[in-house]
Amino acid sequence: MSLFEHYSSDPISVMNDFRMSVNHPNYEDITLYVEGKTDIKLLRGLVNEEAIKLIPLKGKNNVIKVMKGLYSSYVGKVYAICDADFDHIP
């Protein structure tokens, strides 16, 4: 497992990295967490990567865990996109 794969599959590491980044005096970006690398490929042409930092995580559950840990404290700085997968099928 590469360092990136470990990082992106561990929500606590992701949250700690975000907290360290956002507390830096020069931090001005918005962070957008997505489920994986294919989501990054889709969004690259749709978002301004100079203003929005795209971070792929390993799956929807990790995105949800990270957002539960960060969103209330960092409104306006952190967002996420998850697709519906097969959640709507009973």
Side-chain angles (χ1 to χ4, degrees):
M1 178 183 304
S2 74
L3 180 60
F4 175 77
E5 288 171 337
H6 171 72
Y7 165 81
S8 65
S9 65
D10 179 22
I12 292 175
S13 294
V14 172
M15 288 185 281
N16 288 338
D17 183 68
F18 176 82
R19 288 182 185 112
M20 287 174 38
S21 297
V22 79
N23 289 325
H24 190 278
N26 293 333
Y27 184 87
E28 295 182 11
D29 294 337
I30 291 172
T31 298
L32 178 61
Y33 292 107
V34 296
E35 293 182 61
K37 294 175 186 177
T38 56
D39 299 298
I40 295 290
K41 290 177 186 176
L42 172 71
L43 293 170
R44 277 221 162 104
L46 301 174
V47 301
N48 177 357
E49 288 189 78
E50 292 180 23
I52 300 172
K53 186 176 177 183
L54 297 171
I55 306 290
L57 302 179
K58 269 192 152 180
K60 185 176 192 171
N61 289 335
N62 286 334
V63 173
I64 292 168
K65 288 175 186 174
V66 167
M67 290 305 291
K68 283 182 177 180
L70 294 176
Y71 188 74
S72 64
S73 297
Y74 299 100
V75 174
K77 296 255 183 215
V78 62
Y79 297 92
I81 295 177
C82 291
D83 52 46
D85 293 325
F86 296 101
D87 293 348
H88 60 283
I89 300 174

